Amino acid sequence: MNNDAEGRTQDSSLLIDQRVAELDDWRGETLAHVRALIHKAVPDVVETWKWRSVPVWEKDGIICTGETYKAVVKLTFAKGAFVEDPSGLFNASLEGNARRAIDLREGETIDEQAFMALIRNAAALNTAKAKSKSRS
């Protein structure tokens, strides 16, 4: 694999492509769909591949991860407790101090506009924190 940042991003994107393809059921379709929404919401999002083959989307820090399990596709927002969620999409990991998640089950759909707003809110939170750190 390449060692530069762009190479890692390209390699990670290919690994995510492979993950979607190997999940040749509703989970792969769901992961591909939310991935496309993430890119639409934050066009300069960076894809990485971490922790035992988990797709991760970042902009000035982690926005969310896309884990796949037998019964759910779990989108975990690293700083979800601090992200505005006016549509109430978060339905898992609600007890944590920082993380929040969205569990999507087979046959469920997601409110695309609300999800993209959530992604933009998470990215904006990361960017604000990054700017704040750079000023100190």
Side-chain angles (χ1 to χ4, degrees):
M1 288 201 174
N2 298 324
N3 289 326
D4 64 350
E6 184 178 337
R8 284 194 306 271
T9 300
Q10 289 173 350
D11 290 342
S12 295
S13 293
L14 289 173
L15 290 169
I16 295 170
D17 289 343
Q18 290 172 358
R19 181 69 177 144
V20 166
E22 70 188 28
L23 291 166
D24 62 351
D25 59 10
W26 68 271
R27 296 170 302 159
E29 291 171 10
T30 300
L31 188 60
H33 181 67
V34 295
R35 180 188 192 191
L37 293 174
I38 291 166
H39 280 276
K40 188 174 180 182
V42 181
D44 59 341
V45 70
V46 175
E47 294 188 318
T48 58
W49 185 257
K50 299 182 180 184
W51 318 294
R52 295 184 176 191
S53 308
V54 175
V56 180
W57 292 276
E58 301 184 38
K59 173 146 177 72
D60 297 319
I62 294 174
I63 295 172
C64 71
T65 63
E67 303 128 283
T68 52
Y69 300 98
K70 184 176 181 178
V72 298
V73 172
K74 180 181 283 292
L75 303 166
T76 302
F77 288 69
K79 298 176 186 123
F82 310 104
V83 175
E84 288 185 45
D85 179 22
S87 297
L89 293 179
F90 291 132
N91 63 7
S93 302
L94 301 175
E95 68 286 343
N97 292 331
R99 293 181 301 123
R100 294 287 183 273
I102 301 169
D103 283 356
L104 297 170
R105 290 171 176 73
E106 186 173 9
E108 292 181 342
T109 58
I110 192 162
D111 179 330
E112 293 181 0
Q113 295 306 313
F115 180 69
M116 288 190 299
L118 194 64
I119 292 293
R120 285 189 291 269
N121 289 344
L125 177 68
N126 286 352
T127 299
K129 288 188 180 219
K131 285 181 181 177
S132 172
K133 284 183 181 180
S134 70
R135 287 186 216 149
S136 5

